[in-house]
PDB file of all heavy atoms in Angstrom:
ATOM      1  N   TRP A   1       0.824  -1.211   0.003  1.00 96.00           N
ATOM      2  CA  TRP A   1       0.002   0.001   0.002  1.00 96.00           C
ATOM      3  C   TRP A   1       0.856   1.264   0.001  1.00 96.00           C
ATOM      4  O   TRP A   1       1.962   1.270   0.551  1.00 96.00           O
ATOM      5  CB  TRP A   1      -0.921   0.012   1.227  1.00 96.00           C
ATOM      6  CG  TRP A   1      -1.842  -1.160   1.301  1.00 96.00           C
ATOM      7  CD1 TRP A   1      -1.812  -2.189   2.196  1.00 96.00           C
ATOM      8  CD2 TRP A   1      -2.939  -1.442   0.408  1.00 96.00           C
ATOM      9  NE1 TRP A   1      -2.810  -3.084   1.918  1.00 96.00           N
ATOM     10  CE2 TRP A   1      -3.520  -2.653   0.836  1.00 96.00           C
ATOM     11  CE3 TRP A   1      -3.476  -0.786  -0.690  1.00 96.00           C
ATOM     12  CZ2 TRP A   1      -4.607  -3.230   0.201  1.00 96.00           C
ATOM     13  CZ3 TRP A   1      -4.566  -1.352  -1.335  1.00 96.00           C
ATOM     14  CH2 TRP A   1      -5.123  -2.550  -0.892  1.00 96.00           C
ATOM     15  N   GLN A   2       0.334   2.306  -0.589  1.00 94.00           N
ATOM     16  CA  GLN A   2       1.068   3.575  -0.682  1.00 94.00           C
ATOM     17  C   GLN A   2       0.269   4.739  -0.114  1.00 94.00           C
ATOM     18  O   GLN A   2       0.423   5.875  -0.527  1.00 94.00           O
ATOM     19  CB  GLN A   2       1.444   3.831  -2.147  1.00 94.00           C
ATOM     20  CG  GLN A   2       2.321   2.743  -2.740  1.00 94.00           C
ATOM     21  CD  GLN A   2       2.496   2.880  -4.248  1.00 94.00           C
ATOM     22  OE1 GLN A   2       2.376   3.970  -4.797  1.00 94.00           O
ATOM     23  NE2 GLN A   2       2.784   1.766  -4.903  1.00 94.00           N
ATOM     24  N   GLY A   3      -0.619   4.427   0.818  1.00 91.00           N
ATOM     25  CA  GLY A   3      -1.381   5.467   1.495  1.00 91.00           C
ATOM     26  C   GLY A   3      -2.638   5.894   0.758  1.00 91.00           C
ATOM     27  O   GLY A   3      -3.338   6.803   1.185  1.00 91.00           O
ATOM     28  N   GLN A   4      -2.946   5.215  -0.362  1.00 82.00           N
ATOM     29  CA  GLN A   4      -4.128   5.594  -1.138  1.00 82.00           C
ATOM     30  C   GLN A   4      -5.388   4.981  -0.539  1.00 82.00           C
ATOM     31  O   GLN A   4      -5.339   3.952   0.114  1.00 82.00           O
ATOM     32  CB  GLN A   4      -3.968   5.192  -2.618  1.00 82.00           C
ATOM     33  CG  GLN A   4      -4.054   3.690  -2.899  1.00 82.00           C
ATOM     34  CD  GLN A   4      -2.769   2.953  -2.711  1.00 82.00           C
ATOM     35  OE1 GLN A   4      -2.051   3.187  -1.768  1.00 82.00           O
ATOM     36  NE2 GLN A   4      -2.492   2.018  -3.620  1.00 82.00           N
ATOM     37  N   GLU A   5      -6.519   5.618  -0.782  1.00 74.00           N
ATOM     38  CA  GLU A   5      -7.818   5.079  -0.391  1.00 74.00           C
ATOM     39  C   GLU A   5      -7.860   4.640   1.076  1.00 74.00           C
ATOM     40  O   GLU A   5      -8.341   3.579   1.428  1.00 74.00           O
ATOM     41  CB  GLU A   5      -8.195   3.909  -1.300  1.00 74.00           C
ATOM     42  CG  GLU A   5      -8.449   4.314  -2.733  1.00 74.00           C
ATOM     43  CD  GLU A   5      -9.617   5.280  -2.900  1.00 74.00           C
ATOM     44  OE1 GLU A   5     -10.619   5.131  -2.204  1.00 74.00           O
ATOM     45  OE2 GLU A   5      -9.497   6.186  -3.733  1.00 74.00           O
ATOM     46  N   GLU A   6      -7.296   5.521   1.944  1.00 81.00           N
ATOM     47  CA  GLU A   6      -7.341   5.311   3.390  1.00 81.00           C
ATOM     48  C   GLU A   6      -6.563   4.079   3.847  1.00 81.00           C
ATOM     49  O   GLU A   6      -6.756   3.592   4.960  1.00 81.00           O
ATOM     50  CB  GLU A   6      -8.799   5.230   3.871  1.00 81.00           C
ATOM     51  CG  GLU A   6      -9.620   6.474   3.547  1.00 81.00           C
ATOM     52  CD  GLU A   6     -11.087   6.352   3.945  1.00 81.00           C
ATOM     53  OE1 GLU A   6     -11.456   5.303   4.509  1.00 81.00           O
ATOM     54  OE2 GLU A   6     -11.835   7.302   3.708  1.00 81.00           O
ATOM     55  N   GLN A   7      -5.684   3.575   2.993  1.00 88.00           N
ATOM     56  CA  GLN A   7      -4.845   2.452   3.393  1.00 88.00           C
ATOM     57  C   GLN A   7      -3.549   2.967   4.016  1.00 88.00           C
ATOM     58  O   GLN A   7      -3.228   4.160   3.970  1.00 88.00           O
ATOM     59  CB  GLN A   7      -4.534   1.578   2.174  1.00 88.00           C
ATOM     60  CG  GLN A   7      -5.740   0.910   1.552  1.00 88.00           C
ATOM     61  CD  GLN A   7      -6.429  -0.038   2.508  1.00 88.00           C
ATOM     62  OE1 GLN A   7      -5.795  -0.684   3.333  1.00 88.00           O
ATOM     63  NE2 GLN A   7      -7.755  -0.125   2.401  1.00 88.00           N
ATOM     64  N   ALA A   8      -2.789   2.049   4.621  1.00 93.00           N
ATOM     65  CA  ALA A   8      -1.515   2.412   5.227  1.00 93.00           C
ATOM     66  C   ALA A   8      -0.518   2.828   4.153  1.00 93.00           C
ATOM     67  O   ALA A   8      -0.658   2.464   2.991  1.00 93.00           O
ATOM     68  CB  ALA A   8      -0.962   1.216   6.019  1.00 93.00           C
ATOM     69  N   ASP A   9       0.479   3.593   4.550  1.00 97.00           N
ATOM     70  CA  ASP A   9       1.571   3.931   3.644  1.00 97.00           C
ATOM     71  C   ASP A   9       2.738   3.041   3.986  1.00 97.00           C
ATOM     72  O   ASP A   9       3.582   3.353   4.841  1.00 97.00           O
ATOM     73  CB  ASP A   9       1.952   5.412   3.799  1.00 97.00           C
ATOM     74  CG  ASP A   9       2.888   5.892   2.696  1.00 97.00           C
ATOM     75  OD1 ASP A   9       3.622   5.048   2.148  1.00 97.00           O
ATOM     76  OD2 ASP A   9       2.872   7.093   2.373  1.00 97.00           O
ATOM     77  N   ASP A  10       2.793   1.882   3.338  1.00 98.00           N
ATOM     78  CA  ASP A  10       3.845   0.906   3.610  1.00 98.00           C
ATOM     79  C   ASP A  10       5.227   1.450   3.298  1.00 98.00           C
ATOM     80  O   ASP A  10       6.212   1.075   3.954  1.00 98.00           O
ATOM     81  CB  ASP A  10       3.611  -0.370   2.797  1.00 98.00           C
ATOM     82  CG  ASP A  10       2.366  -1.124   3.223  1.00 98.00           C
ATOM     83  OD1 ASP A  10       1.862  -0.883   4.329  1.00 98.00           O
ATOM     84  OD2 ASP A  10       1.898  -1.969   2.420  1.00 98.00           O
ATOM     85  N   VAL A  11       5.316   2.298   2.285  1.00 98.00           N
ATOM     86  CA  VAL A  11       6.620   2.830   1.872  1.00 98.00           C
ATOM     87  C   VAL A  11       7.173   3.759   2.967  1.00 98.00           C
ATOM     88  O   VAL A  11       8.342   3.671   3.343  1.00 98.00           O
ATOM     89  CB  VAL A  11       6.523   3.575   0.537  1.00 98.00           C
ATOM     90  CG1 VAL A  11       7.876   4.119   0.117  1.00 98.00           C
ATOM     91  CG2 VAL A  11       5.970   2.649  -0.548  1.00 98.00           C
ATOM     92  N   GLU A  12       6.319   4.614   3.486  1.00 98.00           N
ATOM     93  CA  GLU A  12       6.744   5.497   4.580  1.00 98.00           C
ATOM     94  C   GLU A  12       7.115   4.688   5.811  1.00 98.00           C
ATOM     95  O   GLU A  12       8.132   4.975   6.471  1.00 98.00           O
ATOM     96  CB  GLU A  12       5.626   6.484   4.914  1.00 98.00           C
ATOM     97  CG  GLU A  12       5.993   7.462   6.008  1.00 98.00           C
ATOM     98  CD  GLU A  12       4.911   8.511   6.246  1.00 98.00           C
ATOM     99  OE1 GLU A  12       4.310   8.960   5.247  1.00 98.00           O
ATOM    100  OE2 GLU A  12       4.696   8.875   7.414  1.00 98.00           O
ATOM    101  N   ASP A  13       6.313   3.689   6.141  1.00 98.00           N
ATOM    102  CA  ASP A  13       6.609   2.843   7.306  1.00 98.00           C
ATOM    103  C   ASP A  13       7.945   2.131   7.128  1.00 98.00           C
ATOM    104  O   ASP A  13       8.732   1.999   8.083  1.00 98.00           O
ATOM    105  CB  ASP A  13       5.500   1.811   7.506  1.00 98.00           C
ATOM    106  CG  ASP A  13       4.191   2.458   7.977  1.00 98.00           C
ATOM    107  OD1 ASP A  13       4.220   3.609   8.430  1.00 98.00           O
ATOM    108  OD2 ASP A  13       3.143   1.773   7.882  1.00 98.00           O
ATOM    109  N   PHE A  14       8.213   1.672   5.904  1.00 98.00           N
ATOM    110  CA  PHE A  14       9.477   0.991   5.620  1.00 98.00           C
ATOM    111  C   PHE A  14      10.659   1.937   5.822  1.00 98.00           C
ATOM    112  O   PHE A  14      11.669   1.566   6.456  1.00 98.00           O
ATOM    113  CB  PHE A  14       9.470   0.473   4.181  1.00 98.00           C
ATOM    114  CG  PHE A  14      10.841   0.176   3.636  1.00 98.00           C
ATOM    115  CD1 PHE A  14      11.561  -0.923   4.081  1.00 98.00           C
ATOM    116  CD2 PHE A  14      11.435   1.017   2.696  1.00 98.00           C
ATOM    117  CE1 PHE A  14      12.839  -1.203   3.597  1.00 98.00           C
ATOM    118  CE2 PHE A  14      12.702   0.751   2.218  1.00 98.00           C
ATOM    119  CZ  PHE A  14      13.409  -0.356   2.656  1.00 98.00           C
ATOM    120  N   ILE A  15      10.555   3.144   5.304  1.00 98.00           N
ATOM    121  CA  ILE A  15      11.660   4.113   5.424  1.00 98.00           C
ATOM    122  C   ILE A  15      11.939   4.451   6.883  1.00 98.00           C
ATOM    123  O   ILE A  15      13.090   4.483   7.324  1.00 98.00           O
ATOM    124  CB  ILE A  15      11.349   5.387   4.605  1.00 98.00           C
ATOM    125  CG1 ILE A  15      11.353   5.048   3.112  1.00 98.00           C
ATOM    126  CG2 ILE A  15      12.353   6.496   4.920  1.00 98.00           C
ATOM    127  CD1 ILE A  15      10.822   6.168   2.231  1.00 98.00           C
ATOM    128  N   LYS A  16      10.877   4.678   7.638  1.00 98.00           N
ATOM    129  CA  LYS A  16      11.049   4.979   9.064  1.00 98.00           C
ATOM    130  C   LYS A  16      11.720   3.822   9.785  1.00 98.00           C
ATOM    131  O   LYS A  16      12.607   4.029  10.628  1.00 98.00           O
ATOM    132  CB  LYS A  16       9.693   5.283   9.699  1.00 98.00           C
ATOM    133  CG  LYS A  16       9.083   6.614   9.279  1.00 98.00           C
ATOM    134  CD  LYS A  16       7.720   6.807   9.937  1.00 98.00           C
ATOM    135  CE  LYS A  16       7.111   8.139   9.556  1.00 98.00           C
ATOM    136  NZ  LYS A  16       5.750   8.325  10.149  1.00 98.00           N
ATOM    137  N   ALA A  17      11.299   2.591   9.472  1.00 98.00           N
ATOM    138  CA  ALA A  17      11.887   1.413  10.108  1.00 98.00           C
ATOM    139  C   ALA A  17      13.343   1.244   9.703  1.00 98.00           C
ATOM    140  O   ALA A  17      14.210   0.950  10.533  1.00 98.00           O
ATOM    141  CB  ALA A  17      11.081   0.177   9.741  1.00 98.00           C
ATOM    142  N   LEU A  18      13.652   1.445   8.426  1.00 98.00           N
ATOM    143  CA  LEU A  18      15.013   1.293   7.935  1.00 98.00           C
ATOM    144  C   LEU A  18      15.978   2.213   8.660  1.00 98.00           C
ATOM    145  O   LEU A  18      17.067   1.816   9.087  1.00 98.00           O
ATOM    146  CB  LEU A  18      15.054   1.575   6.427  1.00 98.00           C
ATOM    147  CG  LEU A  18      16.426   1.499   5.750  1.00 98.00           C
ATOM    148  CD1 LEU A  18      16.958   0.072   5.777  1.00 98.00           C
ATOM    149  CD2 LEU A  18      16.350   2.034   4.321  1.00 98.00           C
ATOM    150  N   PHE A  19      15.549   3.464   8.863  1.00 98.00           N
ATOM    151  CA  PHE A  19      16.439   4.456   9.454  1.00 98.00           C
ATOM    152  C   PHE A  19      16.425   4.453  10.989  1.00 98.00           C
ATOM    153  O   PHE A  19      16.983   5.355  11.599  1.00 98.00           O
ATOM    154  CB  PHE A  19      16.144   5.842   8.884  1.00 98.00           C
ATOM    155  CG  PHE A  19      16.742   6.045   7.511  1.00 98.00           C
ATOM    156  CD1 PHE A  19      16.023   5.739   6.376  1.00 98.00           C
ATOM    157  CD2 PHE A  19      18.049   6.471   7.361  1.00 98.00           C
ATOM    158  CE1 PHE A  19      16.570   5.890   5.107  1.00 98.00           C
ATOM    159  CE2 PHE A  19      18.621   6.621   6.109  1.00 98.00           C
ATOM    160  CZ  PHE A  19      17.876   6.322   4.980  1.00 98.00           C
ATOM    161  N   THR A  20      15.853   3.424  11.577  1.00 98.00           N
ATOM    162  CA  THR A  20      16.101   3.192  12.997  1.00 98.00           C
ATOM    163  C   THR A  20      17.471   2.535  13.178  1.00 98.00           C
ATOM    164  O   THR A  20      18.040   2.577  14.277  1.00 98.00           O
ATOM    165  CB  THR A  20      15.030   2.266  13.625  1.00 98.00           C
ATOM    166  OG1 THR A  20      15.059   0.987  12.971  1.00 98.00           O
ATOM    167  CG2 THR A  20      13.640   2.863  13.509  1.00 98.00           C
ATOM    168  N   GLU A  21      17.996   1.942  12.109  1.00 97.00           N
ATOM    169  CA  GLU A  21      19.317   1.312  12.136  1.00 97.00           C
ATOM    170  C   GLU A  21      20.324   2.041  11.244  1.00 97.00           C
ATOM    171  O   GLU A  21      21.479   2.229  11.621  1.00 97.00           O
ATOM    172  CB  GLU A  21      19.211  -0.148  11.697  1.00 97.00           C
ATOM    173  CG  GLU A  21      18.362  -1.023  12.608  1.00 97.00           C
ATOM    174  CD  GLU A  21      19.057  -1.336  13.931  1.00 97.00           C
ATOM    175  OE1 GLU A  21      20.282  -1.169  14.012  1.00 97.00           O
ATOM    176  OE2 GLU A  21      18.371  -1.745  14.886  1.00 97.00           O
ATOM    177  N   VAL A  22      19.903   2.438  10.051  1.00 97.00           N
ATOM    178  CA  VAL A  22      20.789   3.128   9.121  1.00 97.00           C
ATOM    179  C   VAL A  22      20.853   4.603   9.474  1.00 97.00           C
ATOM    180  O   VAL A  22      19.824   5.230   9.773  1.00 97.00           O
ATOM    181  CB  VAL A  22      20.286   2.960   7.676  1.00 97.00           C
ATOM    182  CG1 VAL A  22      21.169   3.742   6.698  1.00 97.00           C
ATOM    183  CG2 VAL A  22      20.251   1.481   7.299  1.00 97.00           C
ATOM    184  N   LYS A  23      22.064   5.155   9.469  1.00 96.00           N
ATOM    185  CA  LYS A  23      22.234   6.568   9.800  1.00 96.00           C
ATOM    186  C   LYS A  23      21.989   7.449   8.586  1.00 96.00           C
ATOM    187  O   LYS A  23      22.386   7.104   7.464  1.00 96.00           O
ATOM    188  CB  LYS A  23      23.644   6.819  10.339  1.00 96.00           C
ATOM    189  CG  LYS A  23      23.945   6.150  11.674  1.00 96.00           C
ATOM    190  CD  LYS A  23      25.356   6.477  12.137  1.00 96.00           C
ATOM    191  CE  LYS A  23      25.645   5.813  13.481  1.00 96.00           C
ATOM    192  NZ  LYS A  23      27.029   6.119  13.962  1.00 96.00           N
ATOM    193  N   LYS A  24      21.342   8.584   8.809  1.00 96.00           N
ATOM    194  CA  LYS A  24      21.165   9.556   7.740  1.00 96.00           C
ATOM    195  C   LYS A  24      22.524  10.102   7.321  1.00 96.00           C
ATOM    196  O   LYS A  24      23.428  10.223   8.158  1.00 96.00           O
ATOM    197  CB  LYS A  24      20.254  10.703   8.192  1.00 96.00           C
ATOM    198  CG  LYS A  24      18.812  10.296   8.455  1.00 96.00           C
ATOM    199  CD  LYS A  24      17.997  11.523   8.853  1.00 96.00           C
ATOM    200  CE  LYS A  24      16.545  11.153   9.122  1.00 96.00           C
ATOM    201  NZ  LYS A  24      15.733  12.332   9.506  1.00 96.00           N
ATOM    202  N   PRO A  25      22.699  10.454   6.060  1.00 97.00           N
ATOM    203  CA  PRO A  25      24.008  10.933   5.601  1.00 97.00           C
ATOM    204  C   PRO A  25      24.372  12.297   6.202  1.00 97.00           C
ATOM    205  O   PRO A  25      23.526  13.171   6.360  1.00 97.00           O
ATOM    206  CB  PRO A  25      23.837  11.029   4.083  1.00 97.00           C
ATOM    207  CG  PRO A  25      22.361  11.151   3.858  1.00 97.00           C
ATOM    208  CD  PRO A  25      21.718  10.363   4.958  1.00 97.00           C
ATOM    209  N   ALA A  26      25.645  12.445   6.525  1.00 94.00           N
ATOM    210  CA  ALA A  26      26.162  13.727   7.018  1.00 94.00           C
ATOM    211  C   ALA A  26      26.457  14.629   5.824  1.00 94.00           C
ATOM    212  O   ALA A  26      26.200  14.279   4.679  1.00 94.00           O
ATOM    213  CB  ALA A  26      27.427  13.477   7.835  1.00 94.00           C
ATOM    214  N   LYS A  27      27.016  15.793   6.097  1.00 94.00           N
ATOM    215  CA  LYS A  27      27.329  16.759   5.040  1.00 94.00           C
ATOM    216  C   LYS A  27      28.330  16.133   4.072  1.00 94.00           C
ATOM    217  O   LYS A  27      29.275  15.455   4.470  1.00 94.00           O
ATOM    218  CB  LYS A  27      27.915  18.026   5.662  1.00 94.00           C
ATOM    219  CG  LYS A  27      28.169  19.143   4.646  1.00 94.00           C
ATOM    220  CD  LYS A  27      28.693  20.389   5.340  1.00 94.00           C
ATOM    221  CE  LYS A  27      28.932  21.496   4.330  1.00 94.00           C
ATOM    222  NZ  LYS A  27      29.465  22.725   4.988  1.00 94.00           N
ATOM    223  N   ASN A  28      28.106  16.369   2.794  1.00 96.00           N
ATOM    224  CA  ASN A  28      28.963  15.851   1.723  1.00 96.00           C
ATOM    225  C   ASN A  28      28.955  14.322   1.632  1.00 96.00           C
ATOM    226  O   ASN A  28      29.858  13.723   1.040  1.00 96.00           O
ATOM    227  CB  ASN A  28      30.403  16.341   1.853  1.00 96.00           C
ATOM    228  CG  ASN A  28      30.499  17.854   1.764  1.00 96.00           C
ATOM    229  OD1 ASN A  28      29.753  18.490   1.019  1.00 96.00           O
ATOM    230  ND2 ASN A  28      31.409  18.440   2.525  1.00 96.00           N
ATOM    231  N   SER A  29      27.936  13.715   2.238  1.00 98.00           N
ATOM    232  CA  SER A  29      27.833  12.253   2.226  1.00 98.00           C
ATOM    233  C   SER A  29      26.493  11.820   1.643  1.00 98.00           C
ATOM    234  O   SER A  29      25.548  12.617   1.542  1.00 98.00           O
ATOM    235  CB  SER A  29      27.984  11.701   3.651  1.00 98.00           C
ATOM    236  OG  SER A  29      29.233  12.037   4.204  1.00 98.00           O
ATOM    237  N   ALA A  30      26.428  10.562   1.254  1.00 98.00           N
ATOM    238  CA  ALA A  30      25.184  10.012   0.708  1.00 98.00           C
ATOM    239  C   ALA A  30      25.022   8.561   1.137  1.00 98.00           C
ATOM    240  O   ALA A  30      25.992   7.874   1.453  1.00 98.00           O
ATOM    241  CB  ALA A  30      25.181  10.106  -0.828  1.00 98.00           C
TER     242      ALA A  30
END
C-alpha cells in the first residue's frame, strides 16, 4: 500500500523502520 484510499503507507513505514538502524548521511555524504 502507498497510502491511497485510506490504506496504510507501507513505503513510509518501511523508510522509518530502515532508518532506525541506518544513519542519515552527514554533510557531503550520501
